């Protein structure tokens, strides 16, 4: 892939994902880190592309067509299907603003691709006048049967000329001889145009169906991711409820222990007060006993003196 003839018109940073080609459901990250994703315009071919390069290989090389659609699947994630590459690309942005800018540019490029296709078709018709010649523009009977026969073949669309040359040559020879009618050429032109239009419509419908199938598969994958996230949230809610219950039990146990501690402290304080009271009473009893002992001593001495005097 070469972008030498292409000019970047918009660039941003995003995490790039691709749908799993095996399951068409799971997202596969294209890189561990965010990559530069750019819109390029090829002026030579009038083609718009989205390109992202990781290392030495192109992670994204998607040509924008008018029937592509960029879908925002979340606040920071968007995706689009590329039927030519047979994949769905997903981009994860750092903010909603980056996603909005990329989506807006996608719409602009898609419209520009549509205008470029129409301009290219108009230019093809202008540069090949034989394609626009109809049966009403050439009238027979003027001795110009040979040029009319050549115009009859050139007026057929490219997709119908190959088949027409096999079955029409004998008729063209008759035409050159002046024995064939011009309405045959007009009928072939109308039939070829109808076949070409039907073939183009069939191709566009097939491409649109493929893109819709890829989008549906991508949506299914997103639904599965959301379901798994919801289950994870439910599990987290269950763990949260269990944790809150344990916390409430611990708080009740703590309140009980605090109550028992207060009762123990109150009992200890009462014990200490009773001990102090007993200690005071013992001190007073000891003092009273000392006084009594002193009085008994004096009484003994008095009795002893009394005995000695007699």
């Amino acid at each position: 892939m070469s972008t030498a003839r292409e000019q970047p018109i918009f660039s941003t940073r995003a995490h790039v994902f691709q749908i799993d080609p095996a399951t068409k459901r799971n997202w596969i990250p294209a890189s561990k880190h965010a990559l530069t994703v750019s819109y390029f315009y090829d002026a030579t071919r009038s083609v718009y592309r989205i390109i992202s390069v990781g290392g030495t290989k192109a992670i994204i090389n998607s040509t924008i067509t008018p029937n592509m659609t960029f879908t925002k699947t979340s606040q920071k994630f968007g995706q689009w299907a590329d039927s030519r590459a047979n994949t769905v690309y997903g981009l994860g942005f750092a903010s909603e603003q980056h996603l909005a800018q990329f989506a807006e540019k996608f719409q602009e490029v898609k419209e520009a691709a549509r205008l470029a296709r129409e301009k290219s078709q108009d230019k093809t018709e202008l540069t090949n006048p034989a394609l626009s010649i109809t049966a009403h523009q050439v009238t027979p009977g003027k001795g110009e049967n040979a040029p009319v026969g050549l115009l009859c073949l050139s007026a057929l669309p490219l997709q119908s000329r190959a088949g027409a040359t096999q079955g029409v040559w004998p008729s063209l020879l008759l035409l050159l001889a002046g024995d064939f009618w011009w309405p045959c050429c007009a009928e072939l032109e109308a039939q070829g145009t109808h076949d070409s239009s039907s073939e183009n419509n069939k191709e566009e419908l097939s491409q649109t169906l493929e893109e819709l199938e890829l989008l549906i598969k991508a949506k299914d994958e997103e639904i599965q991711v959301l379901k798994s996230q919801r289950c994870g949230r439910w599990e987290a809610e269950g763990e949260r409820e269990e944790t809150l219950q344990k916390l409430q039990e611990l708080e009740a146990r703590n309140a009980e222990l605090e109550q028992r501690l207060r009762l123990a402290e109150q009992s200890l304080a009462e014990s200490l007060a009773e001990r102090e009271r007993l200690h005071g009473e013992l001190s007073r009893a000891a003092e009273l006993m000392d006084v009594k002992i002193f009085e008994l001593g004096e009484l003994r001495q008095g009795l002893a003196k009394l005995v000695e005097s007699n």
Side-chain angles (χ1 to χ4, degrees):
M1 180 198 65
S2 174
T3 59
R5 63 185 179 185
E6 295 177 303
Q7 298 296 326
I9 56 178
F10 178 80
S11 295
T12 186
R13 300 277 295 179
H15 289 273
V16 180
F17 299 85
Q18 279 186 266
I19 206 72
D20 188 346
T23 64
K24 299 296 184 180
R25 298 176 64 85
N26 302 321
W27 287 110
I28 299 178
S31 175
K32 296 181 179 178
H33 308 286
L35 300 175
T36 298
V37 182
S38 303
Y39 288 91
F40 280 84
Y41 175 61
D42 185 347
T44 304
R45 297 186 299 166
S46 297
V47 170
Y48 293 87
R49 292 196 296 168
I50 299 176
I51 297 175
S52 180
V53 178
T56 58
K57 67 176 182 177
I59 304 300
I60 300 177
N61 184 8
S62 179
T63 301
I64 304 300
T65 60
N67 56 350
M68 282 186 176
T69 301
F70 183 80
T71 306
K72 298 179 183 179
T73 57
S74 67
Q75 293 180 345
K76 299 180 182 179
F77 193 89
Q79 63 188 44
W80 77 97
D82 189 336
S83 60
R84 297 182 180 180
N86 193 28
T87 189
V88 177
Y89 294 103
L91 297 179
F93 296 89
S95 67
E96 297 181 37
Q97 181 181 2
H98 287 84
L99 172 59
Q101 291 175 348
F102 187 90
E104 181 180 356
K105 185 59 64 174
F106 192 100
Q107 188 65 27
E108 293 177 3
V109 170
K110 174 182 173 180
E111 180 65 18
R114 183 185 66 81
L115 295 176
R117 173 181 289 185
E118 294 177 354
K119 184 177 180 181
S120 177
Q121 292 175 350
D122 294 341
K123 185 177 180 181
T124 302
E125 293 178 358
L126 291 174
T127 56
N128 194 351
L131 295 178
S132 60
I133 295 178
T134 64
H136 301 287
Q137 293 176 301
V138 181
T139 57
K142 294 184 180 181
E144 299 178 355
N145 289 333
V148 168
L150 294 178
L151 286 175
C152 178
L153 179 60
S154 63
L156 292 176
L158 292 176
Q159 297 178 351
S160 302
R161 281 186 209 172
T165 54
Q166 297 178 1
V168 176
W169 272 118
S171 300
L172 290 178
L173 292 176
L174 291 175
L175 183 63
L176 291 174
D179 296 328
F180 195 76
W181 295 340
W182 174 254
C184 173
C185 182
E187 182 180 356
L188 289 173
E189 179 184 359
Q191 182 179 358
T193 303
H194 177 73
D195 293 342
S196 175
S197 176
S198 299
E199 191 68 25
N200 290 335
N201 290 336
K202 181 179 179 181
E203 182 180 355
E204 290 181 358
L205 287 175
S206 177
Q207 183 175 357
T208 302
L209 286 175
E210 290 178 0
E211 292 181 355
L212 288 175
E213 288 177 356
L214 291 174
L215 285 174
I216 290 172
K217 291 177 180 179
K219 286 291 185 182
D220 289 340
E221 174 63 21
E222 183 180 359
I223 290 173
Q224 294 299 324
V225 172
L226 291 175
K227 286 182 178 178
S228 63
Q229 291 178 351
R230 180 175 295 178
C231 292
R233 286 197 295 267
W234 286 346
E235 293 176 358
E237 287 292 332
E239 294 177 357
R240 180 172 175 270
E241 291 296 332
E242 183 179 357
T243 303
L244 288 176
Q245 184 177 358
K246 290 182 178 180
L247 180 60
Q248 291 174 355
E249 293 176 355
L250 289 175
E251 289 177 347
R253 180 63 175 169
N254 186 38
E256 181 183 357
L257 292 175
E258 288 179 351
Q259 180 66 22
R260 293 176 62 181
L261 178 60
R262 285 194 295 268
L263 293 175
E265 289 176 347
Q266 183 179 357
S267 177
L268 178 60
E270 292 176 353
S271 298
L272 290 175
E274 181 66 15
R275 181 179 176 184
E276 290 293 331
R277 185 182 65 79
L278 292 175
H279 185 269
E281 291 180 355
L282 288 173
S283 296
R284 288 192 296 272
E287 292 175 356
L288 181 59
M289 186 176 292
D290 289 338
V291 171
K292 295 297 183 181
I293 291 173
F294 178 76
E295 290 177 350
L296 287 174
E298 288 183 344
L299 179 59
R300 180 181 180 185
Q301 290 178 0
L303 292 173
K305 288 180 180 180
L306 181 58
V307 171
E308 290 177 356
S309 65
N310 292 331

